[in-house]
Structures are given as structure tokens and as C-alpha cells.
Amino acid sequence: VTLPPQADAETGGTRPRTIPEASVTRLALYLRVLGELAKLRKDLSYIGSYGIRGVGYEVVSLSVELGRALGLDQMQSVALVGVGNLGHALAGYPGFGGRGFPVTALFDVDPDLVGIRINGIVVDHVREIPRVCGERNVTIGVLATPAQAAQAACDLLVGAGVRCILNFAPAVLQVSADVEVRKVDLAVELQVLAFHNARRHGGEHPGAVAGTGGTRGHSESGHGVNGHAVGRVGGTR
Amino acid sequence: VTLPPQADAETGGTRPRTIPEASVTRLALYLRVLGELAKLRKDLSYIGSYGIRGVGYEVVSLSVELGRALGLDQMQSVALVGVGNLGHALAGYPGFGGRGFPVTALFDVDPDLVGIRINGIVVDHVREIPRVCGERNVTIGVLATPAQAAQAACDLLVGAGVRCILNFAPAVLQVSADVEVRKVDLAVELQVLAFHNARRHGGEHPGAVAGTGGTRGHSESGHGVNGHAVGRVGGTR
DNA sequence: ACCTGTGAAGATTTTCACAGCA
DNA sequence: TGCTGTGAAAATCTTCACAGGT
């Protein structure tokens, strides 16, 4: 199969009068994507030359290469520590299991939680981390514990050989240099949203945003800051 | 109170022999922060000139101005739609209520959930969105519903006058141009983590990452939720 | 004819260095 | 003297335009 870049530019033959609602939704997405085509090709070129000149990209082989570049060919296996509300939600989040990161182990300290099954996986006690992570070849640890339990859980994972930690707990972790930790702050996007909103509707504020200049008037996760450049800022420009 | 930039550079008088463990942890944080001082001052300069030359920043007034620039002076009020596991977790997430975004309304369609209290707030039926959001002056809506319910919930919020939507549901939303939607994908950071890991430990891959060059060898790298993550890692210096 | 791959131009962000004030 | 504020340089990212295959 090949990806014909202008699949939607019908030539003008017979066509149904009405466009299905679901299709309209996707068309809006395509429009946005279309505006980023140059960037897309550049991005793909960074992982190598896997397209066919004059034709397009062969979907299967491109997918394979993209997956390889993203490390998805390396059989990831995720352990999730902390099965409270957030952990429970993450265990069932489609973006985890569905995109190459199967959650294969769950841990908690709460006796009420240890033993229950979530999505077919039994919750083990945190003290089992060394054994279970070894057995299931865990490569990524996700922390969804309360703040005060995060460091201990992290240490257990690292001790079990896990070298990638995704930290949802509101705590800063201390790890040795060979471990990569990424901290997720669920409120950051909220701040950004409030910031943009303050400029659009709110009272006058100093400063003016640098502005991406090129937003194509779309309303997704955006920039779209209205340029009421009230007040003064960095003098430049 | 002022912020003395070199608070830790003691002159050499009497000093305790041992440094408290908790302090050591924070010192590591300071070191990282120190490396970003130039950037920090530049960032602050964008919102205006609120420092005192030769002295530092007056903490209280700087906080006020920073909060104003971020729109936190405008009495935000958050409504959360979808009180499943994720919604429940968000309702209790310290970064929401704790940082100027009090959750003042909760909604769901599940009869088992409607009526219960979470953090002192009663869960209302989704059909109450127009009334309740109006009464409580909701300015930001957070969606934590299943994918198929997200658009309907979004429409209700917009109909109630909400112009900022933070979308945790795995669905792309259609909104008019005056509404700002930010989509949060909880798996994006996982992908980035796997990508970096693939290069450090995994087999050989083509290409080399652009590399920001300046990471001072520290292991935090926390960005927000969405994919604004900059490429760093191994390969190029 | 058409689409990829990529050097180069353009735009933006980060870092540097120093002027200016307390 | 010391620290902020900021223009200018350096680094980085994005967009453009066209060479090179098919």
C-alpha cells in the first residue's frame, strides 16, 4: 500500500451528495496535517531514507522503521507502581497498551489492592518488584504513587534493573546518571491554557508573546494568542 | 524578603560538619537550576522589569506579577467532566487545586457516581452542566471521559460559556475558533522515554539527534504532559 | 510528471556579555 | 560591588526550493 498525498482531491466524477459526519471530522484533521507536510518529510528524513522517490512512502516498511527509531521494536514492558486512581486509570489508558507499551506488572502496598486484577494483571506487593520485574523483563517503570512513596518505589525499580522511569508523582526523584527520569506534571497544560486565556479575554497584561506567526487559524492545542500587545516588553521588534 | 542568589556560598566561618540529607537533595536541585540562570532572567524579563538592580527580586511582588502574567489573578474555576479513575485522580491532584485552579464542579453520567462527594464536591449529572457552570463561574473545563463521550461533553461545556478545554480523553475535539482546546496524551512521554532508551542501550539506529548540547548531565528532564519535549540524547554533543 | 531527500534561507530560542542602576 | 535588563551572537528549529530518482 502507498500513501497518496492528495487522496482527497477527487477529480470530479460521481460522488455522494452528503459527506459522512465521521468523515468530516477526519477531513478537518487532514487539513491541519496538510499544513505540516514539509515538516513531516523533514522529520522522516532524520531517521533515514525510507521513501520511494516519485511514488511515496510504503506504509508497512515506513512503519517498521519509525517503530524502530522510537524503540518500539525492542519489546517494551511496563511496570506500574501505585494503583490508586491515577495508576488505575493509567493501567487502562489505551495509549499505553495500544501503542507498544504493554503494562505487564502492577504494584502497590495497600493490602486491599494487592491481589486484585486490573485488565487481567494481578497487583503484587511492592516488595515483589525485584523478582517480578526480573521475570517479566520490565524496561520502563511508571510511578503513580503518592509523593512521599515515590523515591522508595523508584529505588526499588532501579534496583531491579529498570533504567527508564516515567514519574507522575508530584516529587523530584534522585537517581544515578544512567537512569532517565521524565516527570509528568498534569497541571502544566492547565497553566498554559490559563496563560493564553488571560491574554485573549483577561484584563490588560504586560509583555507580548513571541508568536509562532504561522498558525493556520485552527483551534486545536494551540498557540493562537491574540496579539493585544499591551504594555511593553523586551524592546526588541 | 529578597532572594540572595548565592545563599549557599558560605564565607568560611563556623559551619556544621555534616550537611543534612534533605539539604543535600535540594543542593542538587540548586545546581541544576543554577545552570539555567541566564534563561530564567530572560524569561522573567518578558513579563516586565520587576527586579531591583544590584539586589535581586522581591519575592512577593515578583510572585504577584508572575501570577498575573499566567492568568492566575483572574479567579479560575475548573469543571471536571468524567469522574472515572482518571477524573477521580485529577480531582485530587495537588497541582490543580494547589496552584490556582480550584476544581469547583464535577460531572458524570453514571448514576452510581452522581451524588457522591469527592474532596467535598458533589458529582452532578452531565445534564446539569449549563446551570452549574454558570452558577460557579467555570472558566476551564477538563475532560476525562471515555473517547466516545468527549465531544458531547465538550459541546455542553462550550454551550455553558467555557472557552478553555483541557482534553485528557483520547479523542480529537471539534470546536469553534474562539475556544481553545489542549489535548493531553499521557503516553507521549512514554514514547520519548523509549526513544531515548533505544539510543542509549538499544541496537544501532540510523540518524543522530540534534541534541541541545547543554544538558548538565542531570536526570530530571521534566517537561509538561504534551509533546513539547525537545530532543536530547546521546549521539551528538 | 511527480514526490522524496536535503542544503540553504528564514525564524525562533538560548546564551553571552556588558551597560546601568542600587 | 553586584545583580538586573537587554542587545547581539550563537545555536536550534522550521520552511523553502530545488536536485535527484522513478
Side-chain angles (χ1 to χ4, degrees):
Chain A
V1 191
T2 43
L3 249 186
Q6 275 133 281
D8 287 307
E10 282 273 2
T11 37
T14 54
R15 205 181 329 176
R17 296 286 145 184
T18 61
I19 303 173
E21 191 51 37
S23 180
V24 171
T25 304
R26 287 193 300 273
L27 286 172
L29 174 69
Y30 301 156
L31 177 61
R32 196 169 56 243
V33 169
L34 239 48
E36 306 207 342
L37 260 190
K39 185 158 39 174
L40 171 88
R41 213 163 61 224
K42 190 69 170 183
D43 287 346
L44 289 180
S45 83
Y46 286 127
I47 67 169
S49 306
Y50 300 113
I52 303 154
R53 292 188 178 212
V55 179
Y57 293 90
E58 209 263 312
V59 171
V60 173
S61 71
L62 180 61
S63 296
V64 169
E65 295 303 338
L66 232 174
R68 182 177 306 177
L70 292 173
L72 300 184
D73 59 330
Q74 284 173 62
M75 192 61 76
Q76 303 290 357
S77 169
V78 174
L80 206 144
V81 187
V83 192
N85 284 304
L86 181 57
H88 209 287
L90 291 174
Y93 197 71
F96 276 56
R99 275 195 281 159
F101 300 97
V103 176
T104 60
L106 301 172
F107 302 98
D108 208 301
V109 288
D110 186 339
D112 291 347
L113 292 172
V114 171
I116 69 168
R117 297 173 87 89
I118 297 174
N119 275 16
I121 297 165
V122 176
V123 177
D124 287 307
H125 193 278
V126 162
R127 80 171 78 86
E128 303 290 334
I129 286 179
R131 181 179 60 78
V132 174
C133 287
E135 284 174 10
R136 303 185 195 169
N137 271 294
V138 168
T139 52
I140 297 176
V142 176
L143 295 177
T145 66
Q148 70 272 17
Q151 184 65 58
C154 175
D155 293 345
L156 279 167
L157 287 168
V158 171
V162 176
R163 289 291 169 272
C164 296
I165 306 277
L166 187 58
N167 177 29
F168 283 87
V172 175
L173 298 175
Q174 213 64 28
V175 294
S176 55
D178 61 332
V179 178
E180 182 165 359
V181 175
R182 293 189 75 83
K183 182 158 164 29
V184 176
D185 182 343
L186 296 177
V188 163
E189 292 292 320
L190 205 61
Q191 300 249 35
V192 175
L193 203 51
F195 171 77
H196 287 176
N197 188 54
R199 288 179 179 277
R200 289 197 304 168
H201 308 293
E204 78 300 342
H205 292 297
V209 188
T212 58
T215 37
R216 303 246 176 353
H218 267 278
S219 47
E220 174 81 1
S221 78
H223 314 58
V225 180
N226 243 353
H228 298 310
V230 187
R232 141 203 63 85
V233 181
T236 354
R237 231 134 286 162
Chain B
V1 189
T2 44
L3 251 185
Q6 273 135 283
D8 288 307
E10 282 273 2
T11 37
T14 54
R15 205 183 327 176
R17 296 282 149 188
T18 60
I19 303 174
E21 190 53 36
S23 178
V24 172
T25 303
R26 287 193 299 273
L27 287 171
L29 173 69
Y30 301 154
L31 176 62
R32 195 169 58 242
V33 169
L34 239 48
E36 305 206 345
L37 260 190
K39 185 157 41 173
L40 171 90
R41 212 163 64 225
K42 191 69 170 181
D43 287 346
L44 289 181
S45 82
Y46 286 127
I47 67 170
S49 307
Y50 301 112
I52 304 154
R53 294 189 180 216
V55 179
Y57 293 90
E58 210 263 312
V59 171
V60 173
S61 71
L62 180 61
S63 296
V64 168
E65 294 303 337
L66 233 175
R68 183 177 306 177
L70 291 173
L72 300 184
D73 59 331
Q74 283 172 62
M75 192 59 77
Q76 303 289 357
S77 169
V78 174
L80 207 143
V81 186
V83 192
N85 284 305
L86 181 58
H88 210 288
L90 291 174
Y93 197 72
F96 276 57
R99 275 195 280 158
F101 300 97
V103 175
T104 59
L106 301 171
F107 302 98
D108 209 301
V109 288
D110 187 339
D112 292 348
L113 292 173
V114 171
I116 69 168
R117 297 172 86 89
I118 298 173
N119 275 17
I121 298 165
V122 176
V123 177
D124 287 306
H125 192 278
V126 162
R127 80 171 78 86
E128 302 289 334
I129 286 179
R131 180 178 60 79
V132 175
C133 286
E135 285 174 10
R136 303 183 195 169
N137 270 295
V138 167
T139 52
I140 297 176
V142 176
L143 295 177
T145 66
Q148 70 272 16
Q151 184 66 57
C154 175
D155 293 344
L156 279 167
L157 287 168
V158 172
V162 177
R163 289 290 169 271
C164 295
I165 306 277
L166 187 58
N167 177 30
F168 282 87
V172 175
L173 298 175
Q174 213 65 29
V175 293
S176 55
D178 60 332
V179 177
E180 182 167 359
V181 175
R182 293 189 74 85
K183 181 158 165 27
V184 175
D185 182 343
L186 296 177
V188 164
E189 293 290 322
L190 205 62
Q191 301 249 34
V192 175
L193 203 52
F195 170 77
H196 288 175
N197 189 54
R199 289 182 176 275
R200 289 195 306 169
H201 307 292
E204 78 300 342
H205 292 297
V209 188
T212 60
T215 37
R216 304 264 176 333
H218 267 278
S219 46
E220 169 91 358
S221 86
H223 298 307
V225 163
N226 248 345
H228 312 308
V230 190
R232 164 178 68 82
V233 143
T236 354
R237 183 48 59 95

